[in-house]
Amino acid sequence: MKSHHSYRLLNVNDRRYSKSIQISMVACSVSLRGSLSNSLLHHFPRNITHRSSCKYFHGNVRKFKSAPSCSTAIWDALDESPVVQNEGNGKGIDFLYLMEERGIRANVQTYLWLFEGCLNSGSLFDAKKLQAKIFKSGFDWEHVLGSRLIDIYLAHDEIDNAIKVFDEIPSPSVSLWKEVISRLLSKKLASQVLALFSRLITENVTPNESTFASVLRACSGGKASFKFIEQIHGMIIHHGFGSSPVVCNPLIDLYSKNGHVDRAKLVFERLFLRDSISWVAMISGFSQNGREDEAILLFCQMHKSAVVPTPYVFSSVLSACTKIESFKLGEQLHGFIVKWGLSSETFVCNALMTLYCRWGNLVAAEQIFSIMHHRDRISYNSLISGLAQCGFSDRALQLFEEMQLDCMKPDSVTVASLLSACASVGAGHKGKQLHSYVIKTGMSSDLIIEGSLLDLYVKCYDIETAHEFFLTTETENVVLWNVMLVAYGQLGNLSESYRLFLQMQIEGMMPNQYTYPSILRTCTSLGALDLGEQIHTQVIKTGFQFNVYVCSVLIDMYAKLGELDTARGILKRLREEDVVSWTAMIAGYTQHDFFTEALKLFQEMEDQGIRSDNIGFSSAISACAGIQALNQGQQIHAQSYVSGYSEDLSIGNALVSLYARCGRVQDAYLAFEKIDAKDNISWNALISGFAQSGHCEEALQVFSQMNQAGVEANLFTFGSAVSATANMANIKQGKQIHAMMIKNGYDSEIEASNVLITLYSKCGSIEDAGREFFEMPEKSVVSWNAMITGYSQHGYGCEAVSLFEDMKRLGLRPNHVTFVGVLSACSHVGLVNEGLSYFNSMSKEHGLVPKPEHYVCVVDLLGRAGLLHRAREFIEEMPIEPDAMIWRTLLSACTVRKNIEIGEFAARHLLELEPEDSATYVLLSNIYAVSGKWDYRDRTRQMMKERGVRKEPGRSWIEVKNSIHAFFVGDRLHPLAEQIYGYLDDLNKRAAEIGYVKERYNLLNDVEQGEKDPTAYIHSEKLAITFGLLSLSNTMPVRVIKNLRVCNDCHNWIKFVSKISNRAIVVRDAYRFHHFEGGICSCKDYW
């Protein structure tokens, strides 16, 4: 009551009292109100500031010391004053001693204020003195004092002391446990949080929601095992927090970050009340775990639930759209963002820029960047990275300068993006400038920067600088070794690449999942199968045999190098469904012409629910092209269109090849025109497809258009064009293309020489083919096969056999194609025993299983030699089912040898297999005709007529002055027909003078021959040769192509004509070449 009266008097007439009394009264007021600073400001006039009040108070402290008596509350008020804080807590301890001298005992509030002063001043030493003072005085710990002292120790990173203080507090409350755990978590001391939580459980303290939430956040750093997280989840459910957003939100986030998104989804679904954080956590979890579609669907569900989206929600959904390239949806979300007024949020703008950059819409990305209110490093990095990926290195570097002007120091991510920009466009000079900047700013030891710099020099093909920089790096970074492996692989330097691979292991660097693919790709490109197999062994030893990435590269290597069974075995053992591995296998089957297997595997992949990528679709369509499966190819193309690959270049090229190889000329042109960015492969698909489907003139026209369009032809282009000229026997144009190959530097390529050997062989110039072969510095198996086949086709059987023996002596391994050529050579010159010996050696000596074409060669070998019964026995003993070609070969031999019995036997089988093939009826009819069985002949022809089978007419072609002239039997439609027939009569007379006797046309009976004009029986090759002799220079050989086998009379006639005209005549019939010169044929009358 007295105090109240004094207070009232002070307010009435304050100037009549001393300043010490004023201080005393103020202190009493403070004890009632609880805060000195607020009390002073409350009682002081409005014009007195906080600072001036401190000065006023500081000037009267000494007067207070002489006061006769004061309470603990007054001392406490002084302890809280700014004087104590400004002068250091040592003064506060001095006050503590002064209080003891006056007999006043400090209370909890006194110590609390003193600890506050230590915390604010950062004086750990004074705090420890206070702690010692408290212990010395026997003062009981209070939770609030312990909490404040723990804060001081944590602020100075003295974790052990903080825990010791906590241990000394008797029976800490749940709130104190929660507070300490929260403080440890704020210091990112996850291990200590988890240890303290374990103690809490051991001491039977019941955690609350906040404690569980803190512990779950501590687990997110990867400090806790999944089993521990599951145990915490069980406790959460046990304590009734299973549907609490406070606990479940961090639990959803934790499960998602550890890859257990299904568990996170289960927690989310059990939430009765979902706040915006719940939705963000779940959407982000889906997006981060490759389930972008579900993230987008969940956002739609959130929108329907009328939950107000946050910037973080939009950021997560936009990230999901970017990952699955759902750019249109991302653009729609942009509209929502504007509608909700979040278009200026930094998180959202960064996600939008990433979306538009990945889409390639850099204009939109730059617009967003320009209107951002606040840009952070991610903003700059997103745009710089987008510009770099799209090749705008100049703009990326300009933005780099703007970033520095914006007072924002670029980090390693920014610089790495810029280096990537320079590497992508080969800007080595600018990259070196950035390298200088990296050295100046001290970022040269950053792992990301080191990798980016090395990648820059490698991609700019400055391997020397790359190697020098690699040697200067001190960090043990396996990524750098991998980049160098790729660098030497690009150079094709397998020895250096392998040396580096061994060296890294010597220096203690263990290969990882990216190391093995780096060197395996080099083995693949250089065809080093043996080394690839060695590395595969090491892959198994180091436990990477089930790694999806490593396995995909192994499958690719084995598939491309022809070891398809090994590749398929790796695919079967794969434990994960990897589309890259499947498509590599499909591509391998297609590459090696196992088209049916490729399509079966493609179907199997789809049946297992694996969505094909563009490589799988293009390989499958190419496989359809290989077997002319037009309908199936069109169906697969429709699938690719639905899957979003409508504009994919590789699929477009495969479709062009499909139509071209199926002979659909207009469709092929249409598919070709639909390709916007045509490359060499597009043109090559059209050229090679037309060449293979027999539209050789179209192929050469496209080749000419390609040259006129300025598109650079590569080796494959020239090979396809040469093949087209070879199929047309157009040696003149073939030589022109040969000259272009020399001009473009392809003449030294093995593949180029191989197609040229085939060209000259097919055009009848075996001498030029031999010259090309023998001048080759290096020869592949294909080279030997081409020359052996060429000799075989021209009837030079002995030379072909000799070349085969040379090939074996050099240690080259013959393949199936080699033996087709050798067996055909033996057949054409009658080397029966040798041919049979070579056939048997296929399996016994070379491990090759004979294919149907080899059996055809043996039947032809025996049939030409007149061993028809032996040929029949051979067919009946074959381990495979005879196909139409085998029976047709036997039937043809029977026609020549006039063997009706075996001929009819062969014809019956042939009609069962191919009832619509005209050759069967014609050959059988001819057997009856030459044997004089006219009724049987007529019956065969009637059967042919009734079945609607039309005979292919005999035709011959000859090129004169860049024009192809075609002739039929008895043809009189040619403009020079009169001159041709006149000169033909002259040739016949001159031939007869030196011994030529015309054979009787034995396919018609006497009545039929008498009814027709004799000139109607003149075969097309005679007309073509006569026209050639009339039209071509005397120095040029006459080259004629015929679609059927040349008959005995024509063969004999051409020999005489070559002698009387003193001209070389080359005739290519359906079986072989005949070189006539001086009255002699190269076949030596055995064909």
Side-chain angles (χ1 to χ4, degrees):
M1 193 71 178
K2 183 179 180 180
S3 296
H4 179 71
H5 178 70
S6 299
Y7 182 75
R8 183 173 55 80
L9 290 175
L10 179 63
N11 282 289
V12 171
N13 191 4
D14 57 346
R15 292 185 181 181
R16 294 174 60 186
Y17 294 89
S18 66
K19 293 182 178 179
S20 61
I21 298 299
Q22 293 177 29
I23 295 170
S24 178
M25 297 305 298
V26 169
C28 290
S29 175
V30 168
S31 68
L32 296 173
R33 295 179 181 272
S35 173
L36 176 63
S37 59
N38 289 337
S39 299
L40 290 173
L41 292 175
H42 178 77
H43 291 288
F44 286 171
R46 295 292 181 184
N47 59 345
I48 298 179
T49 63
H50 190 272
R51 180 170 295 183
S52 62
S53 69
C54 292
K55 290 180 179 179
Y56 169 79
F57 186 61
H58 177 59
N60 293 278
V61 170
R62 291 177 183 176
K63 294 181 180 180
F64 173 75
K65 290 181 179 180
S66 61
S69 64
C70 62
S71 66
T72 303
I74 297 174
W75 286 96
D76 292 343
L78 285 170
D79 285 341
E80 190 189 14
S81 70
V83 177
V84 177
Q85 295 177 11
N86 290 342
E87 293 186 355
N89 206 47
K91 295 273 183 138
I93 296 174
D94 290 342
F95 281 129
L96 204 59
Y97 287 121
L98 185 59
M99 289 173 66
E100 291 176 352
E101 290 175 4
R102 298 297 177 91
I104 301 170
R105 180 179 174 84
N107 62 12
V108 173
Q109 190 64 43
T110 306
Y111 287 118
L112 182 62
W113 282 334
L114 289 171
F115 276 136
E116 287 282 359
C118 294
L119 187 62
N120 292 331
S121 65
S123 176
L124 180 63
F125 178 74
D126 289 343
K128 288 184 177 181
K129 286 173 67 178
L130 275 173
Q131 184 184 6
K133 181 71 177 172
I134 292 170
F135 280 121
K136 187 176 180 181
S137 63
F139 191 85
D140 291 334
W141 274 112
E142 293 285 343
H143 291 175
V144 66
L145 289 179
S147 176
R148 188 60 66 234
L149 185 56
I150 288 170
D151 284 344
I152 294 171
Y153 279 126
L154 289 177
H156 290 83
D157 293 327
E158 295 210 2
I159 312 303
D160 292 337
N161 283 332
I163 299 299
K164 285 178 182 178
V165 173
F166 179 77
D167 291 342
E168 291 167 0
I169 297 174
S171 302
S173 65
V174 175
S175 61
L176 184 58
W177 283 93
K178 174 253 177 185
E179 187 173 350
V180 174
I181 287 174
S182 298
R183 298 291 172 82
L184 290 172
L185 182 63
S186 67
K187 301 291 288 183
K188 298 182 180 179
L189 302 171
S191 299
Q192 287 81 353
V193 170
L194 298 178
L196 201 60
F197 178 74
S198 297
R199 278 184 52 193
L200 179 147
I201 300 301
T202 304
E203 296 180 17
N204 294 321
V205 179
T206 303
N208 58 18
E209 287 178 309
S210 299
T211 306
F212 276 123
S214 298
V215 172
L216 289 170
R217 290 189 179 93
C219 292
S220 64
K223 299 291 185 180
S225 66
F226 181 70
K227 186 177 180 181
F228 183 72
I229 296 169
E230 283 186 316
Q231 289 174 349
I232 295 175
H233 190 183
M235 294 171 63
I236 289 168
I237 296 171
H238 175 72
H239 286 86
F241 300 131
S243 59
S244 169
V246 175
V247 179
C248 290
N249 290 347
L251 186 60
I252 292 168
D253 183 64
L254 182 60
Y255 274 136
S256 298
K257 286 180 178 177
N258 284 275
H260 301 283
V261 71
D262 287 323
R263 290 179 180 267
K265 184 180 178 182
L266 192 62
V267 174
F268 177 80
E269 289 174 345
R270 288 177 178 174
L271 272 175
F272 296 117
L273 181 63
R274 300 166 185 162
D275 57 17
S276 60
I277 299 173
S278 312
W279 291 93
V280 170
M282 195 65 252
I283 291 170
S284 177
F286 279 137
S287 179
Q288 292 170 2
N289 286 276
R291 292 165 69 165
E292 294 81 6
D293 291 332
E294 291 180 71
I296 294 168
L297 289 173
L298 192 62
F299 171 77
C300 295
Q301 185 181 339
M302 173 185 170
H303 182 65
K304 290 179 181 177
S305 302
V307 178
V308 178
T310 65
Y312 301 101
V313 170
F314 280 117
S315 177
S316 297
V317 179
L318 286 169
S319 175
C321 292
T322 303
K323 288 176 183 176
I324 62 173
E325 298 184 352
S326 184
F327 301 123
K328 289 289 185 182
L329 180 58
E331 194 174 36
Q332 292 174 10
L333 284 171
H334 192 176
F336 272 109
I337 289 164
V338 174
K339 180 181 177 181
W340 283 99
L342 300 174
S343 57
S344 61
E345 292 286 340
T346 303
F347 287 113
V348 178
C349 289
N350 291 343
L352 279 170
M353 281 195 295
T354 303
L355 173 86
Y356 284 120
C357 285
R358 187 73 63 83
W359 194 2
N361 190 350
L362 296 176
V363 174
E366 291 237 37
Q367 285 176 347
I368 294 168
F369 182 80
S370 64
I371 63 173
M372 287 179 70
H373 297 312
H374 175 70
R375 300 169 186 153
D376 57 11
R377 284 183 179 178
I378 297 174
S379 311
Y380 279 98
N381 289 340
S382 298
L383 190 52
I384 288 173
S385 177
L387 291 165
Q389 290 172 3
C390 294
F392 295 98
S393 59
D394 290 336
R395 174 61 183 139
L397 291 168
Q398 182 185 349
L399 201 63
F400 171 64
E401 295 175 0
E402 291 178 15
M403 182 179 185
Q404 293 173 292
L405 292 173
D406 208 2
C407 299
M408 201 168 292
K409 185 180 178 182
D411 59 7
S412 58
V413 176
T414 310
V415 178
S417 297
L418 289 164
L419 289 168
S420 175
C422 295
S424 63
V425 296
H429 179 68
K430 291 179 181 177
K432 287 183 177 180
Q433 290 177 343
L434 282 169
H435 193 172
S436 300
Y437 172 82
V438 165
I439 295 170
K440 289 178 183 177
T441 53
M443 288 192 285
S444 55
S445 61
D446 185 274
L447 294 181
I448 299 175
I449 297 294
E450 282 184 338
S452 299
L453 280 169
L454 194 60
D455 184 61
L456 166 77
Y457 292 123
V458 168
K459 286 184 177 177
C460 291
Y461 297 99
D462 191 353
I463 304 301
E464 185 178 348
T465 305
H467 191 75
E468 290 175 1
F469 174 72
F470 173 72
L471 295 175
T472 62
T473 56
E474 297 179 0
T475 54
E476 299 297 326
N477 186 359
V478 70
V479 174
L480 303 181
W481 291 87
N482 293 345
V483 173
M484 286 307 300
L485 286 173
V486 172
Y488 285 114
Q490 288 176 348
L491 293 176
N493 192 339
L494 183 59
S495 60
E496 186 62 27
S497 185
Y498 187 58
R499 187 198 66 77
L500 202 67
F501 177 72
L502 296 176
Q503 185 65 30
M504 71 178 289
Q505 296 172 76
I506 292 171
E507 295 188 15
M509 297 295 296
M510 290 302 296
N512 62 10
Q513 61 178 335
Y514 302 106
T515 310
Y516 291 116
S518 298
I519 191 167
L520 285 170
R521 286 195 181 95
T522 307
C523 295
T524 303
S525 61
L526 299 177
L529 180 61
D530 292 341
L531 181 57
E533 290 175 330
Q534 291 178 30
I535 294 169
H536 186 188
T537 303
Q538 188 171 343
V539 166
I540 297 171
K541 289 180 179 178
T542 52
F544 285 97
Q545 70 271 28
F546 297 115
N547 181 275
V548 173
Y549 184 45
V550 176
C551 285
S552 67
V553 179
L554 279 169
I555 291 169
D556 182 66
M557 179 188 76
Y558 284 119
K560 285 181 176 176
L561 299 183
E563 296 294 327
L564 297 171
D565 291 337
T566 306
R568 187 65 187 271
I570 297 171
L571 181 66
K572 287 180 178 178
R573 289 190 293 272
L574 262 184
R575 297 173 179 175
E576 298 180 40
E577 295 178 348
D578 177 50
V579 66
V580 177
S581 302
W582 282 81
T583 54
M585 191 71 245
I586 294 167
Y589 276 135
T590 303
Q591 177 187 339
H592 293 282
D593 296 344
F594 289 92
F595 304 121
T596 304
E597 288 81 356
L599 292 172
K600 285 180 180 177
L601 191 64
F602 180 80
Q603 185 61 50
E604 185 181 339
M605 180 179 72
E606 287 198 319
D607 291 342
Q608 292 192 19
I610 302 173
R611 292 176 59 184
S612 179
D613 57 10
N614 58 331
I615 303 300
F617 282 122
S618 62
S619 299
I621 294 172
S622 297
C624 292
I627 57 175
Q628 284 81 52
L630 180 61
N631 291 336
Q632 189 175 0
Q634 289 174 325
Q635 291 173 9
I636 295 172
H637 177 230
Q639 286 179 253
S640 70
Y641 193 93
V642 172
S643 299
Y645 295 110
S646 58
E647 297 181 1
D648 185 81
L649 180 60
S650 62
I651 294 175
N653 292 339
L655 192 64
V656 171
S657 179
L658 172 69
Y659 285 126
R661 293 187 69 174
C662 290
R664 301 284 289 268
V665 177
Q666 295 305 318
D667 289 331
Y669 277 127
L670 186 62
F672 179 76
E673 291 302 325
K674 285 183 178 179
I675 299 175
D676 294 327
K678 300 178 182 67
D679 59 4
N680 278 346
I681 299 174
S682 311
W683 290 90
N684 291 344
L686 208 55
I687 296 169
S688 64
F690 284 149
Q692 292 176 47
S693 63
H695 295 82
C696 298
E697 291 183 18
E698 292 285 348
L700 294 174
Q701 285 178 12
V702 175
F703 176 71
S704 178
Q705 292 170 9
M706 181 179 179
N707 290 325
Q708 292 172 6
V711 180
E712 184 178 353
N714 57 20
L715 183 58
F716 187 83
T717 315
F718 285 119
S720 300
V722 168
S723 296
T725 59
N727 292 337
M728 294 172 63
N730 190 340
I731 192 170
K732 183 178 179 180
Q733 195 163 0
K735 286 185 175 182
Q736 291 174 353
I737 298 173
H738 186 180
M740 293 174 67
M741 293 170 71
I742 295 171
K743 183 179 179 181
N744 285 275
Y746 289 114
D747 56 312
S748 60
E749 297 285 344
I750 294 177
E751 292 81 2
S753 295
N754 293 343
V755 295
L756 289 169
I757 293 168
T758 303
L759 165 72
Y760 291 122
S761 296
K762 285 189 174 182
C763 291
S765 184
I766 195 64
E767 296 81 8
D768 288 330
R771 189 179 303 110
E772 187 69 34
F773 174 79
F774 289 110
E775 288 179 357
M776 291 177 68
E778 294 182 22
K779 302 177 182 69
S780 65
V781 174
V782 178
S783 313
W784 290 86
N785 290 349
M787 197 65 236
I788 290 170
T789 302
Y791 276 141
S792 172
Q793 290 173 340
H794 286 266
Y796 297 117
C798 296
E799 288 82 352
V801 170
S802 176
L803 205 62
F804 176 66
E805 294 297 334
D806 290 343
M807 178 183 178
K808 290 196 295 182
R809 277 194 293 272
L810 291 172
L812 290 171
R813 183 180 175 184
N815 57 23
H816 288 92
V817 178
T818 315
F819 278 100
V820 170
V822 172
L823 293 173
S824 296
C826 293
S827 175
H828 287 312
V829 294
L831 299 175
V832 177
N833 293 331
E834 291 86 346
L836 293 174
S837 175
Y838 285 136
F839 176 79
N840 293 327
S841 72
M842 284 185 67
S843 55
K844 292 180 180 179
E845 297 178 17
H846 303 286
L848 298 172
V849 178
K851 294 184 177 181
E853 53 264 33
H854 300 105
Y855 289 102
V856 169
C857 290
V858 174
V859 172
D860 186 57
L861 173 73
L862 297 171
R864 286 176 186 268
L867 305 174
L868 299 177
H869 289 282
R870 192 172 174 184
R872 176 176 176 173
E873 291 172 1
F874 177 80
I875 294 173
E876 291 173 341
E877 294 171 359
M878 280 169 48
I880 64 172
E881 193 69 26
D883 61 10
M885 182 56 73
I886 289 175
W887 292 116
R888 189 177 295 111
T889 302
L890 180 61
L891 179 57
S892 179
C894 292
T895 303
V896 174
R897 298 292 177 174
K898 302 178 183 179
N899 190 318
I900 296 177
E901 178 191 354
I902 298 178
E904 288 179 333
F905 172 75
R908 282 196 299 273
H909 286 87
L910 194 53
L911 287 172
E912 289 177 2
L913 294 172
E914 294 183 353
E916 296 181 358
D917 180 49
S918 63
T920 307
Y921 300 95
V922 172
L923 289 171
L924 186 59
S925 171
N926 291 347
I927 291 179
Y928 291 136
V930 297
S931 303
K933 295 192 174 184
W934 305 111
D935 291 340
Y936 289 96
R937 183 207 67 173
D938 295 341
R939 201 176 303 159
T940 304
R941 289 184 177 181
Q942 183 62 30
M943 185 194 309
M944 183 177 179
K945 186 177 180 180
E946 289 173 354
R947 294 182 179 181
V949 179
R950 297 186 63 184
K951 175 183 179 295
E952 180 185 4
R955 297 182 68 187
S956 295
W957 296 267
I958 184 171
E959 182 186 357
V960 174
K961 297 178 181 179
N962 299 325
S963 296
I964 304 296
H965 298 260
F967 294 89
F968 292 92
V969 61
D971 195 347
R972 287 187 174 274
L973 298 176
H974 196 277
L976 299 178
E978 294 299 325
Q979 292 176 303
I980 293 170
Y981 278 97
Y983 190 53
L984 178 60
D985 287 339
D986 181 58
L987 289 174
N988 288 335
K989 290 175 183 177
R990 291 167 61 190
E993 290 175 358
I994 60 172
Y996 166 67
V997 178
K998 186 180 184 310
E999 288 189 15
R1000 184 174 179 273
Y1001 190 68
N1002 52 14
L1003 297 183
L1004 299 176
N1005 56 36
D1006 294 336
V1007 176
E1008 291 169 336
Q1009 291 190 40
E1011 291 176 349
K1012 291 191 176 183
D1013 181 0
T1015 60
Y1017 310 131
I1018 298 175
H1019 285 184
S1020 58
E1021 59 264 45
K1022 288 185 177 181
L1023 298 174
I1025 290 171
T1026 303
F1027 174 67
L1029 293 172
L1030 276 172
S1031 308
L1032 295 172
S1033 168
N1034 292 334
T1035 59
M1036 293 182 65
V1038 177
R1039 302 180 188 276
V1040 173
I1041 301 173
K1042 186 175 181 181
N1043 63 335
L1044 302 176
R1045 182 181 184 273
V1046 65
C1047 70
N1048 289 336
D1049 176 66
C1050 289
H1051 187 271
N1052 195 33
W1053 179 83
I1054 299 170
K1055 286 196 299 182
F1056 280 97
V1057 169
S1058 69
K1059 185 174 183 179
I1060 61 176
S1061 63
N1062 196 27
R1063 300 280 290 273
I1065 301 173
V1066 180
V1067 177
R1068 189 180 90 181
D1069 68 4
Y1071 292 90
R1072 57 174 294 166
F1073 278 91
H1074 297 267
H1075 292 259
F1076 299 92
E1077 193 166 5
I1080 300 173
C1081 180
S1082 59
C1083 72
K1084 299 175 183 177
D1085 297 337
Y1086 187 92
W1087 81 98

